[in-house]
Amino acid sequence: MRPEHVGQRHKLAGWVARRRDHGGLVFIDLRDSTGLSQLVVNPERAPEAAAAAHDIRNEFVLQAEGDIAARAPENVNPGLPTGEVELQVDKLEIISSAPALPFQLDEEGVDETLRLRYRWLDLRRDRLQRNLRLRAQMVSIIRRVMEGAGFLEIETPILFKPTPEGARDFLVPSRLQKGRFFALPQSPQILKQLLVIAGFERYFQIARCFRDEDLRADRSNELTQLDVEMAFPDVEYIIGLMEEMVQQIWRETLGVELEIPFPRLTYAEAMLRYGTDKPDLRFDLEIQDATELTRGSQFRVFADAPAVRYLTVPQEYSRADLDKLEEFAKEWGAKGLAYIVYGEDGEPRSPIVKFLSEKELAAFRADPGSTVLFGAGEPEEVARVLGALRLRLGRELGLVDEDAFRWMWITDFPMFEWSEEDQHWTAVHHPFTRPTPESEGLLETEPGAALAVAYDLVGNGEELGGGSLRIHEADLQSRVFEILQLSPEQQQARFGFLLEALGMGAPPHGGIAFGIDRMLMVLAREPNLRDTQAFPKNQAGFDPMSGAPTEVPKEQLDELGIQLLPQKESPQSGGVSDA
């Protein structure tokens, strides 16, 4: 309803957002997807409607008919697009009633399990309505950009073959092939490569992916991703197209103009300066390197460490504060946390000061009211600890610019990383990532030094997209599989069809995948990925609304040829847990 509708007769329907009974007059805020309208029920004008209005509660569904009238000047609500008018009700029908609600839609701090249990009610909240509408708008823009660039949308199977991609597979038993299992795809990686090999030179898909992994605020068992692959790829073209896509999304949804091209950092630089391959650039607080400076230090912890790095924090910490930070550092793998505190007098205070040379103290000098925190140890450990400290301190000290959007490409990833648990090399991205030309000769001799033609897009500290050029030669793919300790027999059993396809005229190809859910987290400034999805599971992978996963009848298991081991009760779900 708008002022130009005054004097017209209309019928409105929606949910009751609020009801106010002023003795005689009853005011009802009626809500639907287009906004909020005020109904006025006057017993003198419509006695039957007034009688019905007294029984109405929040979230009843109503249909009202009457005349649109201008509000009195003192009753105008400038905060609403409909705030200048109201509907004078003649007829009021209760379409659907509602009981006392488990929580109110404007209530803050509602327990997440309760919200998920009544998700249909939770989804009526303004914030979640906005999130899902933003999501739909974002996906629409993505499709338009990809189709405009000549990419063809092709669906790939949900039931496919188990393949190692970094997480556990969700397995699906086959009734027709007893004792055999499909897997839900962790991504369409192999299938999209096969499509390009098949001659579809530019492919994309809004793909559903499934990963059986432990959940966090930014991780889900079910996710949606933009999947992109192209033949005869050019890394600069892929990066440029993705930048244009992101720029278009932010422009059309938020009215925010992002400046492209986005800056780039190599993986090695990102780990050195930020301690992570997904740095949050909304605040400074860079990690500084002091490894060479401290090679001859009298402080043996520094002198003997393979890497020494530090953070200069604009805060004078007390001994109690430092104890808490040290405990946090130990949780991330540090043996301790050395420090120098500079008081308001500018003088350094620390047990290690007496061991440091003038040259070292000059390098570590900070403004009065600051603290320098040190990490010493293996480079990976120091990066991990100081990277986690940097993020914690950025939040605690209010250094993060919450209104900003900061983007960066991370490039030149390692091909492999060593797994202490498995005692062999694993793929940093996935086993189909192409090594740089300079790294091909290092694959067998120095796999840890080999770099990949890989690139990630990071936004506000979240990895939003990751891509690479792929291996298109069967022999090179087999060499990489061997480094990952896949025997020729295992290669054929798991990837024989891919190796065969690579030997039948496979063009050079590459692409990228973007997490739709994670991108919406950044777009909508949501801290929790579950609030970007319509019907998410909780952190235990359980759906409080439907009760899934559930037990199934023995007859159904017999059909599938499955027998269950005795189970323990799960406290989260009231169902079963690990055998």
Side-chain angles (χ1 to χ4, degrees):
M1 303 190 305
R2 297 293 189 272
E4 59 266 26
H5 300 133
V6 169
Q8 298 178 10
R9 190 163 186 82
H10 282 279
K11 186 182 291 184
L12 301 180
W15 288 263
V16 174
R18 189 181 176 201
R19 171 185 167 278
R20 305 180 301 284
D21 193 332
H22 289 189
L25 296 177
V26 176
F27 295 89
I28 298 169
D29 291 337
L30 199 67
R31 181 193 73 246
D32 74 354
S33 61
T34 66
L36 205 67
S37 291
Q38 179 170 278
L39 313 182
V40 180
V41 185
N42 188 333
E44 295 180 5
R45 177 183 177 123
E48 290 185 9
H54 287 295
D55 296 327
I56 289 169
R57 290 194 295 267
N58 286 1
E59 298 311 304
F60 274 39
V61 179
L62 307 182
Q63 182 170 282
E65 185 177 346
D67 297 325
I68 295 178
R71 296 195 196 186
E74 64 273 15
N75 294 331
V76 168
N77 183 346
L80 284 178
T82 60
E84 298 178 64
V85 292
E86 59 195 15
L87 186 78
Q88 298 284 345
V89 175
D90 292 318
K91 296 179 182 178
L92 185 67
E93 181 182 356
I94 296 175
I95 303 295
S96 179
S97 62
L101 301 175
F103 55 85
Q104 297 301 317
L105 269 60
D106 58 357
E107 186 177 343
E108 297 293 335
V110 181
D111 177 71
E112 186 182 58
T113 299
L114 187 63
R115 289 176 51 208
L116 294 178
R117 167 67 180 83
Y118 296 96
R119 188 61 168 181
W120 62 84
L121 187 64
D122 192 39
L123 285 170
R124 295 180 194 171
R125 292 170 178 261
D126 289 342
R127 184 164 61 88
L128 293 186
Q129 286 275 320
R130 179 205 61 158
N131 288 355
L132 293 189
R133 293 177 194 283
L134 264 181
R135 184 184 180 115
Q137 188 181 3
M138 178 175 72
V139 170
S140 177
I141 295 167
I142 288 171
R143 280 198 163 98
R144 190 175 72 235
V145 170
M146 298 309 300
E147 289 169 356
F151 285 77
L152 183 67
E153 184 168 12
I154 304 176
E155 293 181 351
T156 51
I158 292 295
L159 297 177
F160 194 54
K161 184 182 179 69
T163 56
E165 296 209 27
R168 295 182 183 89
D169 287 315
F170 280 104
L171 298 179
V172 181
S174 169
R175 179 182 62 83
L176 299 177
Q177 304 286 334
K178 282 189 174 62
R180 293 174 177 265
F181 294 82
F182 295 105
L184 302 182
Q186 294 187 35
S187 81
Q189 179 60 49
I190 294 178
L191 292 165
K192 68 180 181 181
Q193 290 186 241
L194 293 175
L195 282 169
V196 174
I197 293 170
F200 297 98
E201 295 179 30
R202 294 192 175 195
Y203 144 97
F204 87 99
Q205 182 182 187
I206 305 297
R208 295 290 287 162
C209 304
F210 307 86
R211 294 167 191 172
D212 187 3
E213 57 189 353
D214 295 333
L215 305 184
R216 300 193 300 253
D218 64 346
R219 184 181 286 177
S220 172
N221 287 150
E222 300 175 67
L223 56 139
T224 306
Q225 69 182 37
L226 163 66
D227 214 45
V228 177
E229 196 79 4
M230 66 181 296
F232 311 106
D234 178 277
V235 171
E236 292 303 320
Y237 175 79
I238 294 172
I239 286 177
L241 180 62
M242 294 301 102
E243 289 178 338
E244 289 175 18
M245 180 190 76
V246 170
Q247 185 185 54
Q248 194 80 357
I249 291 169
W250 258 252
R251 177 188 296 144
E252 293 189 29
T253 58
L254 301 183
V256 171
E257 194 64 34
L258 301 177
E259 185 178 338
I260 59 174
F262 300 142
R264 303 184 193 184
L265 268 186
T266 66
Y267 173 87
E269 290 172 321
M271 297 302 291
L272 185 66
R273 293 168 57 183
Y274 301 102
T276 177
D277 59 359
K278 49 180 183 179
D280 190 339
L281 303 181
R282 291 174 296 170
F283 65 106
D284 295 326
L285 205 62
E286 283 194 23
I287 298 169
Q288 306 295 318
D289 186 58
T291 306
E292 291 304 315
L293 174 69
T294 56
R295 287 308 77 191
S297 180
Q298 295 301 305
F299 186 46
R300 300 309 307 169
V301 172
F302 287 178
D304 297 339
V308 180
R309 299 171 192 167
Y310 64 96
L311 281 168
T312 301
V313 186
Q315 177 80 13
E316 181 183 351
Y317 283 117
S318 67
R319 181 65 254 184
D321 293 330
L322 291 164
D323 287 342
K324 291 178 184 176
L325 292 179
E326 183 174 38
E327 198 59 41
F328 177 81
K330 287 180 177 178
E331 291 172 5
W332 283 85
K335 298 178 180 63
L337 187 67
Y339 64 88
I340 302 175
V341 178
Y342 290 90
E344 292 302 327
D345 59 2
E347 290 300 310
R349 301 195 311 273
S350 170
I352 72 170
V353 167
K354 58 188 176 183
F355 300 109
L356 300 179
S357 67
E358 290 297 325
K359 184 179 179 182
E360 289 170 316
L361 282 173
F364 302 143
R365 169 63 59 184
D367 294 334
S370 299
T371 303
V372 182
L373 302 172
F374 295 91
E378 294 297 329
E380 298 81 5
E381 170 201 316
V382 173
R384 182 175 65 248
V385 172
L386 291 185
L389 265 175
R390 176 182 179 270
L391 288 177
R392 169 174 168 158
L393 298 175
R395 290 190 296 266
E396 285 185 354
L397 301 178
L399 303 178
V400 180
D401 182 354
E402 299 290 354
D403 295 326
F405 293 106
R406 296 287 182 266
W407 302 85
M408 173 164 285
W409 287 100
I410 306 297
T411 65
D412 299 319
F413 281 84
M415 275 284 289
F416 308 104
E417 60 186 353
W418 181 256
S419 170
E420 288 293 340
E421 182 180 349
D422 299 322
Q423 286 296 296
H424 66 74
W425 294 104
T426 61
V428 170
H429 268 72
H430 52 63
F432 320 109
T433 302
R434 185 172 198 81
T436 62
E438 300 80 11
S439 296
E440 285 190 35
L442 302 174
L443 293 181
E444 287 80 13
T445 57
E446 292 184 82
L451 298 180
V453 187
Y455 34 87
D456 282 2
L457 182 60
V458 177
N460 287 8
E462 293 286 348
E463 179 197 328
L464 302 184
S468 67
L469 299 190
R470 325 300 187 191
I471 298 169
H472 67 272
E473 308 94 332
D475 58 343
L476 180 57
Q477 185 64 79
S478 289
R479 287 172 61 195
V480 170
F481 283 153
E482 287 171 8
I483 293 166
L484 301 175
Q485 290 200 354
L486 288 175
S487 67
E489 295 75 24
Q490 290 173 317
Q491 292 179 36
Q492 284 301 315
R494 298 184 188 182
F495 303 107
F497 63 101
L498 174 63
L499 292 171
E500 193 172 12
L502 291 176
M504 291 187 180
H509 55 283
I512 194 167
F514 270 76
I516 298 292
D517 316 270
R518 245 184 228 173
M519 201 185 311
L520 185 58
M521 281 181 67
V522 175
L523 186 70
R525 303 184 192 279
E526 282 290 351
N528 195 316
L529 184 137
R530 290 186 286 279
D531 284 332
T532 71
Q533 301 173 330
F535 298 103
K537 311 294 186 293
N538 65 13
Q539 279 194 289
F542 175 71
D543 177 11
M545 181 181 70
S546 68
T550 61
E551 296 178 348
V552 297
K554 182 177 183 300
E555 296 77 20
Q556 192 172 358
L557 293 176
D558 289 343
E559 272 192 321
L560 297 168
I562 292 176
Q563 183 177 2
L564 295 181
L565 296 174
Q567 305 282 295
K568 295 181 292 184
E569 286 293 313
S570 166
Q572 287 101 339
S573 64
V576 296
S577 65
D578 294 337

